[in-house]
Amino acid sequence: MPLSITDRPPEAQGVRVVHAALDAGVRLLDTADVYCLSDEDLGHNERLMAMALRTWNGPRSEVLVATKGGMTRPDGRWDRNGRPEHLRRACDRSLKALGVDRIDLYQFHAPDPQVPFTESVGMLAELQGEGKIRWVGLSNVSVDQVNAARRHVEVVTVQNRLNPWFREALQQGVVEHCERLGIGFLAYSPVGGGRLNKKLPAHPLVKAIADRHGASPHAVVLAWVLEQASNVIVIPGARTVEHALDSMTAGELRLEAEELRDLDEAEFDRA
Ligand SMILES: NC(=O)c1ccc[n+]([C@@H]2O[C@H](COP(=O)([O-])OP(=O)(O)OC[C@H]3O[C@@H](n4cnc5c(N)ncnc54)[C@H](OP(=O)(O)O)[C@@H]3O)[C@@H](O)[C@H]2O)c1
């Protein structure tokens, strides 16, 4: 997402970031039609991912690309549109932008209060039936919405926000519910998003744990998120090769039980 929204770097840098992540072993790229500047620019990030994959000297077939539909960017705003006809149009546009015949994982970006949830989900089931989508995922959903969707379509992933400042996915039981059902949980904004992540190096506990392990503060937080349940996957954003590669180190970082408990109990100030 940060490669295509405000303050995005030049495309050549975006491609370098993706190549570096793939070379280091990343096999899941999360994108969306609305990772762009406005409705005139829809699909920017999908086209960037497609270009990066086309020019990568690695095993393309191993890489899973997850995209989303169900939002729009009029004048740069983030609006919801869960109408079935919009989702069909968006899916067709994403197929074209990604340059594929079938989308690996298509996620409904966010429930639209103006549209009955099951009508939106019903369209995803229809698109899957037509072979345009392999797997269906949801994003920004509650436990009840996961259950409602499952009556219409098999849900393989749920993508909600989860970081030390925002733990509602844990508190409201979404992570645990997904774990019980065998649904993958993609933690978005895992290091806090564009603003809050900058506070991490100054957080005394995070810094102390990072120093003890010779790791970065961001890697410590990613390791904490990963420890929340067996089904959790983190999808950190990055504009630089350095940040992408640093985030990869979290996979090898093993925090002690006491460190995890301390992080559970620590204050994370949003101001
Ligand atoms: N489903 C949804 O509604 C939704 C909403 C938001 C995001 N997402 C998804 O979640 C992904 C990540 O979310 P996000 O970009 O909001 O937040 P994030 O991953 O928590 O962090 C964003 C920023 O943190 C910095 N960062 C990340 N790892 C770092 C590291 N190891 N060291 C230093 N800095 C680091 C990066 O800065 P630089 O840019 O300077 O490299 C990055 O842009 C998005 O790309 C998108 O795929 C989904």
Side-chain angles (χ1 to χ4, degrees):
M1 180 180 77
L3 297 177
S4 293
I5 59 170
T6 315
D7 296 331
R8 67 192 187 194
E11 273 179 14
Q13 181 177 328
V15 169
R16 275 200 302 278
V17 170
V18 177
H19 284 177
L22 295 171
D23 286 341
V26 163
R27 289 295 179 267
L28 166 66
L29 299 175
D30 182 71
T31 179
D33 55 351
V34 288
Y35 293 167
C36 62
L37 297 174
S38 69
D39 276 342
E40 288 66 49
D41 185 40
L42 280 176
H44 180 273
N45 196 255
E46 294 175 318
R47 289 189 294 277
L48 186 68
M49 295 304 114
M51 193 207 306
L53 285 166
R54 257 196 325 271
T55 54
W56 181 51
N57 290 322
R60 165 68 185 90
S61 60
E62 287 181 8
V63 183
L64 196 146
V65 179
T67 192
K68 314 182 192 77
M71 294 191 83
T72 60
R73 299 299 309 282
D75 302 320
R77 290 195 312 276
W78 298 87
D79 284 0
R80 298 182 183 205
N81 187 343
R83 286 198 296 279
E85 58 277 17
H86 170 78
L87 287 168
R88 172 173 289 283
R89 237 188 356 260
C91 178
D92 285 340
R93 215 169 28 216
S94 289
L95 283 163
K96 198 160 162 247
L98 291 168
V100 295
D101 298 327
R102 187 176 64 162
I103 291 167
D104 296 329
L105 173 62
Y106 197 63
Q107 305 158 99
F108 180 37
H109 207 143
D112 179 350
Q114 311 291 332
V115 180
F117 181 63
T118 51
E119 275 186 25
S120 307
V121 169
M123 178 47 77
L124 297 192
E126 208 173 301
L127 294 166
Q128 188 178 43
E130 293 169 17
K132 294 183 174 184
I133 299 174
R134 181 169 184 197
W135 289 306
V136 169
L138 304 172
S139 185
N140 297 297
V141 287
S142 65
V143 165
D144 286 349
Q145 286 165 333
V146 172
N147 292 337
R150 275 164 47 86
R151 288 193 276 277
H152 298 266
V153 71
E154 188 193 352
V155 176
V156 304
T157 56
V158 164
Q159 177 175 152
N160 282 9
R161 179 173 57 184
L162 175 55
N163 59 52
W165 291 271
F166 291 97
R167 305 179 185 203
E168 65 279 359
L170 298 171
Q171 291 150 350
Q172 295 166 8
V174 178
V175 175
E176 194 188 337
H177 190 63
C178 289
E179 186 182 38
R180 216 171 20 242
L181 294 172
I183 295 174
F185 181 88
L186 306 189
Y188 82 64
S189 302
V191 294
R195 181 177 70 86
L196 292 173
N197 90 85
K198 296 195 174 66
K199 293 163 78 83
L200 286 175
H203 192 284
L205 176 66
V206 173
K207 188 180 177 320
I209 296 173
D211 289 348
R212 203 175 304 142
H213 288 271
S216 73
H218 290 74
V220 167
V221 164
L222 289 171
W224 174 82
V225 176
L226 284 168
E227 281 292 339
Q228 298 308 309
S230 60
N231 59 333
V232 173
I233 295 165
V234 287
I235 49 168
R239 287 187 182 84
T240 67
V241 168
E242 185 199 346
H243 291 166
L245 295 183
D246 179 72
S247 292
M248 288 292 289
T249 65
E252 303 295 316
L253 182 56
R254 295 282 165 270
L255 300 180
E256 304 292 333
E258 196 185 332
E259 293 171 331
L260 290 167
R261 232 179 6 252
D262 289 347
L263 287 165
D264 287 344
E265 289 163 9
E267 282 283 318
F268 283 83
D269 183 6
R270 291 183 202 166

